[in-house]
Amino acid sequence: MLDLLKTFSWQELRQHPWRNAAAVVAVMLGVALAFSVHLINASALDEFSQAARSVGGQPDLELRGVQGQFDEALFGQVARMAEVAVASPVLEMETYALRPSGKRSLQVLGVDALVVARVAPDLMPLPDTPPGQSQPARDVLFAPGLVFLNTTAQALLTPAAAATSGTSSPADATTLKLQSGTTQVTAKVAGQVRSSGRALAVMDIGAAQELFGKQGLLSRIDVRLRPGVDRDAFIRTLRNLPHWPDQVSVTLPGDAQSQIDNLSRAYRVNLTVLALIALFTGAFLVFSVLSLSVAKRAQQFALLGVLGLSGRERLTLVLWESLALGVLGSACGLALGLGLAALALQLLGGDLGGGFFAGAAPKLQFSTGAAALYGALGVAAALVGGWWPARAAQRLPPAHTLKGLGDLNETPSAHRLSLLLIATGAILTSAPAVFGIPVAAYVSVALLLVGGITALLWLIGLLLARLTPWVAGHTLSLLAVARARHQRETAAVAVSGVVASLSLAVALTVMVASFRTSVTQWLDQVLPADLYVRSAASLSAADTVYFSPDFIQAAARLPGVAQLQAQRQVALQLDPQLPPVALIARELPNPAQNLPLVGAALAVPAGHIGIYVSEAVRDLHGASLGQTFAPLSKAFRPLALDSKAQAAPFFVAGVWRDYARQSGAIAIDRAVFVQLTGDERANDLALWLAAPQDAAQVQQALRSLSQAQGMAAANLMDFGTPGQIRATSLRIFDRSFAVTYWLQAVAIGIGLFGIAASFSAQVLARRKEFGLLAHLGLTRRQILTVVALEGAAWTVLGAMAGLGLGLVVSAVLVHVVNPQSFHWTMDLMLPWLRLGGLCVAVVLAGTLTAWVAARAAAIQNAVLAVKEDW
């Protein structure tokens, strides 16, 4: 019997290839999107992990500077300890290589070539052999001004040499200009290193300290312990050493990888959930296709039932068909997802818009487990979509159906279940995130969608009852509304796909509009000046690339500059398990106007220093409004250039929105920062001009000033007006969210196809009804009008339900999912014009598809269909 059922299913699928292809494509798209997103993120994480291991090596412990560098005297103390087998000093710096085409971000590592191979062999410099010599010079590893590049740096910084050089290294005899503070320094490429990942230059630690003015400073010490030494006990020994510096922390290898994994987890999960929307709507398309198939074969099922095929076997028959659709769609989706991931990694790298893996060029890492998981999800979606048509075939009454009296879509009332689902979803919105992932919020959205869709039966009956008096005077309209009201179970099934797709489209539209509007308003408040000048694009390079106090003072005196405000950024490691936060020292004469505060600012108590934390710092580090923030006092102490930073209590006087730094930012008045640290350097300059239209002349004057002070006039600074920065930021935003618009179109298309399939199924079952109407005097055009009006009534109800449900879901996305995922809030913005256009388009498309379905399937031979009962 099982083989017979498979044969029936296979024959049905082969007879209608185009109709079934739509369901296969829906499943395929859902699986492909989700699988490709997973592969891209997994490959990027794997590449980052390999690069971190390559750069960090495999030490037992890492002694790191909490805020940048620390005194190298600690190295001798640690290296002489009996428990230590090898101690490798490292100086890390972020800078820029100045090329004719622009600035290129570059990480510079100073290492001790005598010991680095024992801890991090991939960082061991490999000198090139000069022409005419049999081997490199012995002292080349320690010569000043020589750097050794990895493959990524060679490709970025020496493209011409790579194409023309015939030596073992494409970077042979290449000179690099590097930025150090407000000047440029020159280094010569003398070889390469095997380390992977982002662009990296390795040089002797003494040469690096001299070249960048970091004499006597280290960033970290990699420690390899002797066999048998207990690591935890050694850590306690280190921390109990007399005069152990507060600015040095003891960390385990892999902490940097854990930080980026934790920071990007919410982004990756949200992107995956967004991709799975196509699978959610694909399940409804499978439902529509199989509903059509079951409706067309209703009398066949009835005949099989009379001949002995049980209801359970009819259910199995339809599920076999949905299983076939799911398996085929999943297989195609996995292949398509693999291709999309490979293409995206080749064209875009590992950065999907979140900025976590920018600059990485990962290789595709195929995962059998992930392929099995997403393939199973595609099959499960198809089976879920086929379950209700299968149940309809199981419950089909054979005798009544043979006479054309059966109704495949009768479903029991589920008001209580709907209310329970909606209430549970509402309660879950108040649940906290789990490991930074809004799991409860995702479940809440799913319950709200399912609860809202299952409540359609009650909603349709209520609204059609209210609509009946309005059409009482129009025969065709009354006939359509009466029929829709009588068959509200059928209407609920027909519009469920539209409600699901439209509600998701509305939710995504509102979320993106709210986010974009909030970002625009945020940019307007944080960009009050006429011209902005930036030295370092990244926080990690802020201590290597900066403007000197002399340059800042000279820039303020330039003709055309009415006012200048300098801003300093410093990385603060408040928690070893979390990425550093940005300490922003800027002028704050009126914090309520200078910062986009959430709520009102508090008065700073006497004897305290006021700080203003971003929402991420409040959520991740517990910096509550009105409280003293003790972790900042400890982290702040090593910042002083004269080692005399005051241990002042910091008071959280305000919380502000910051859409630029997901790991968090703390704003402090620059005058207070300079008083505490003596650091008068700056990374960003904001200039108010006497005549804003003279911005180009002021830019040229700044270039001339930098050249006069020995800086790289063409490449050192980045300029931007508020309009340019706003346009660039919004362009990046729109590109990051472009996939959501495509998913909206896919969801709406699937929903409309569901309407067409449902109407086709119903009009096939109503051929006798149309024949009777024709006998009663209705013309072909009038019958088509009745069906079109039914389609309009159903899609209007679906649009209303989808709009309302979408607004509820959007509120959860805006007020729960985003704050729990990314630790920033936004205002809910409702783009009524766009939402209204979306609903009108759905109603018009639904009406048209109903009319086309009726014209194609119901009108032909409708009169002859009445004879089947004679």
Side-chain angles (χ1 to χ4, degrees):
M1 179 59 71
L2 183 60
D3 293 336
L4 181 61
L5 293 178
K6 291 181 181 179
T7 303
F8 273 122
S9 300
W10 181 245
Q11 288 179 350
E12 170 62 21
L13 293 175
R14 292 184 60 186
Q15 289 175 1
H16 304 281
W18 292 109
R19 186 190 67 202
N20 295 316
V24 171
V25 169
V27 175
M28 177 185 70
L29 289 176
V31 173
L33 286 172
F35 186 51
S36 62
V37 166
H38 172 85
L39 287 180
I40 293 170
N41 284 317
S43 299
L45 279 173
D46 182 74
E47 176 68 18
F48 181 85
S49 175
Q50 292 182 13
R53 289 193 298 269
S54 178
V55 173
Q58 294 297 323
D60 296 312
L61 292 174
E62 294 179 356
L63 310 184
R64 285 188 172 272
V66 177
Q67 316 302 340
Q69 290 89 32
F70 57 91
D71 195 322
E72 67 178 5
L74 181 65
F75 169 73
Q77 184 179 3
V78 172
R80 290 190 296 269
M81 297 182 69
E83 299 92 338
V84 175
V86 179
S88 175
V90 180
L91 177 63
E92 299 176 339
M93 290 165 292
E94 294 286 336
T95 186
Y96 297 96
L98 307 178
R99 309 295 295 169
S101 57
K103 298 165 60 172
R104 302 286 185 176
S105 178
L106 181 68
Q107 183 182 22
V108 178
L109 291 184
V111 301
D112 185 350
L114 296 179
V115 297
V116 70
R118 300 173 62 184
V119 179
D122 287 346
L123 293 181
M124 182 64 190
L126 304 174
D128 293 326
T129 301
Q133 298 185 18
S134 59
Q135 61 183 4
R138 295 183 178 181
D139 60 347
V140 68
L141 299 180
F142 313 101
L146 298 184
V147 296
F148 303 83
L149 304 181
N150 68 349
T151 304
T152 306
Q154 293 174 10
L156 287 177
L157 304 179
T158 59
T164 59
S165 176
T167 61
S168 60
S169 169
D172 185 44
T174 300
T175 299
L176 292 180
K177 295 180 179 179
L178 306 177
Q179 188 171 345
S180 175
T182 55
T183 62
Q184 66 179 28
V185 295
T186 302
K188 181 179 178 182
V189 179
Q192 55 192 314
V193 291
R194 292 192 298 267
S195 179
S196 59
R198 54 170 301 193
L200 173 70
V202 176
M203 60 191 311
D204 175 68
I205 189 169
Q209 290 173 329
E210 180 180 357
L211 187 65
F212 290 93
K214 303 287 185 180
Q215 289 86 349
L217 297 177
L218 298 177
S219 299
R220 77 171 194 258
I221 302 174
D222 295 335
V223 177
R224 179 74 62 82
L225 300 177
R226 296 186 184 278
V229 174
D230 182 81
R231 184 170 62 182
D232 294 335
F234 180 71
I235 292 176
R236 291 192 294 270
T237 301
L238 283 177
R239 291 173 176 167
N240 292 328
L241 288 176
H243 309 297
W244 177 260
D246 292 335
Q247 65 266 37
V248 178
S249 65
V250 183
T251 62
L252 301 179
D255 280 354
Q257 179 186 349
S258 299
Q259 290 175 4
I260 195 67
D261 181 71
N262 294 334
L263 183 63
S264 64
R265 183 188 298 122
Y267 170 78
R268 292 181 280 115
V269 171
N270 276 277
L271 204 59
T272 301
V273 171
L274 187 64
L276 287 173
I277 287 176
L279 262 186
F280 182 83
T281 50
F284 281 96
L285 185 51
V286 173
F287 165 76
S288 299
V289 166
L290 292 180
S291 293
L292 172 61
S293 174
V294 172
K296 289 183 64 177
R297 294 180 292 161
Q299 293 188 342
Q300 296 180 19
F301 282 122
L303 180 59
L304 291 174
V306 172
L307 296 177
L309 194 68
S310 66
R312 185 177 184 85
E313 289 169 335
R314 294 196 296 271
L315 179 140
T316 305
L317 176 63
V318 178
L319 287 181
W320 272 115
E321 295 176 12
S322 63
L323 177 64
L325 294 175
V327 170
L328 182 58
S330 295
C332 296
L334 292 176
L336 178 61
L338 187 63
L340 289 175
L343 183 63
L345 289 175
Q346 181 179 0
L347 298 179
L348 305 176
D351 186 20
L352 286 179
F356 303 104
F357 310 108
K363 296 180 181 179
L364 181 64
Q365 302 290 333
F366 180 80
S367 172
T368 304
L373 172 63
Y374 288 101
L377 284 176
V379 173
L383 289 174
V384 169
W387 173 255
W388 282 273
R391 287 285 294 167
Q394 181 186 26
R395 297 193 306 266
L396 182 145
H400 284 69
T401 305
L402 285 175
K403 299 292 295 180
L405 302 176
D407 190 345
L408 298 177
N409 295 310
E410 292 181 356
T411 55
S413 177
H415 299 163
R416 294 181 180 178
L417 177 60
S418 301
L419 293 176
L420 178 62
L421 291 175
I422 294 174
T424 305
I427 293 173
L428 287 176
T429 57
S430 60
V434 180
F435 300 110
I437 304 299
V439 178
Y442 292 138
V443 176
S444 171
V445 169
L447 293 179
L448 289 173
L449 287 172
V450 176
I453 292 173
T454 55
L456 284 175
L457 182 62
W458 169 81
L459 177 65
I460 289 175
L462 179 64
L463 294 179
L464 287 178
R466 298 291 187 273
L467 185 61
T468 301
W470 292 84
V471 297
H474 304 278
T475 304
L476 296 181
S477 300
L478 180 61
L479 182 62
V481 172
R483 206 273 175 185
R485 182 181 178 186
H486 179 69
Q487 297 291 332
R488 56 182 180 272
E489 294 88 357
T490 299
V493 172
V495 302
S496 60
V498 168
V499 172
S501 58
L502 182 59
S503 60
L504 290 170
V506 167
L508 292 175
T509 299
V510 173
M511 184 196 69
V512 175
S514 299
F515 198 4
R516 197 180 194 278
T517 303
S518 297
V519 169
T520 302
Q521 295 174 349
W522 177 77
L523 289 171
D524 291 338
Q525 187 167 2
V526 299
L527 298 174
D530 300 315
L531 180 66
Y532 292 88
V533 188
R534 183 179 64 181
S535 64
S538 65
L539 180 64
S540 55
D543 199 45
T544 306
V545 181
Y546 51 82
F547 296 117
S548 67
D550 292 339
F551 180 84
I552 298 171
Q553 296 173 6
R557 295 191 297 266
L558 287 176
V561 178
Q563 181 184 357
L564 182 146
Q565 289 186 1
Q567 176 175 293
R568 176 79 167 120
Q569 296 189 56
V570 179
L572 287 177
Q573 189 72 58
L574 300 180
D575 187 338
Q577 303 301 320
L578 296 173
V581 304
L583 178 66
I584 302 175
R586 54 173 297 183
E587 296 184 23
L588 296 173
N590 188 347
Q593 294 182 358
N594 304 133
L595 294 171
L597 294 179
V598 180
L602 301 180
V604 180
H608 291 70
I609 297 175
I611 59 172
Y612 303 86
V613 302
S614 69
E615 294 171 310
V617 175
R618 178 195 60 191
D619 296 342
L620 296 175
H621 299 277
S624 302
L625 181 66
Q627 302 294 323
T628 300
F629 190 40
L632 180 58
S633 299
K634 181 180 179 181
F636 196 92
R637 197 172 300 120
L639 292 179
L641 298 181
D642 57 4
S643 301
K644 296 180 181 179
Q646 304 176 22
F650 293 96
F651 178 78
V652 181
V655 179
W656 57 290
R657 289 178 177 174
D658 182 20
Y659 296 125
R661 307 166 189 87
Q662 187 183 335
S663 57
I666 301 174
I668 185 174
D669 188 79
R670 185 169 182 266
V672 175
F673 176 83
V674 173
Q675 179 184 359
L676 294 177
T677 65
D679 187 355
E680 298 184 54
R681 299 172 294 176
N683 304 106
D684 301 278
L685 303 178
L687 293 86
W688 284 260
L689 308 181
Q693 64 272 16
D694 296 335
Q697 290 85 341
V698 175
Q699 291 182 30
Q700 184 58 44
L702 288 168
R703 292 190 181 97
S704 301
L705 176 63
S706 67
Q707 190 172 17
Q709 294 195 0
M711 302 180 341
N715 294 327
L716 178 62
M717 298 173 290
D718 294 325
F719 296 94
T721 63
Q724 293 170 342
I725 297 174
R726 185 183 297 105
T728 300
S729 301
L730 294 180
R731 184 168 58 252
I732 295 173
F733 178 92
D734 292 335
R735 185 172 65 245
S736 300
F737 283 90
V739 66
T740 62
Y741 301 116
W742 186 83
L743 285 173
Q744 290 175 16
V746 171
I748 293 296
I750 291 175
L752 292 177
F753 190 91
I755 279 281
S758 297
F759 267 102
S760 298
Q762 295 307 314
V763 295
L764 283 173
R766 295 169 58 192
R767 290 173 65 244
K768 298 181 179 63
E769 176 188 337
F770 293 142
L772 179 60
L773 292 176
H775 277 289
L776 293 177
L778 269 68
T779 64
R780 173 189 177 94
R781 182 175 181 179
Q782 289 174 324
I783 295 176
L784 288 174
T785 302
V786 170
V787 177
L789 289 173
E790 288 182 24
W794 290 6
T795 49
V796 165
L797 297 176
M800 294 174 61
L803 177 62
L805 190 57
L807 293 178
V808 173
V809 173
S810 67
V812 178
L813 295 178
V814 170
H815 295 306
V816 181
V817 172
N818 273 289
Q820 290 187 357
S821 297
F822 306 109
H823 307 288
W824 53 50
T825 61
M826 64 186 76
D827 298 323
L828 184 66
M829 302 293 176
L830 301 179
W832 288 114
L833 185 61
R834 195 182 311 168
L835 296 177
L838 193 61
C839 292
V840 170
V842 168
V843 172
L844 293 177
T847 304
L848 179 62
T849 53
W851 184 85
V852 171
R855 186 176 185 275
I859 303 304
Q860 294 181 357
N861 298 324
V863 176
L864 295 178
V866 181
K867 295 182 178 180
E868 295 176 5
D869 288 335
W870 296 356

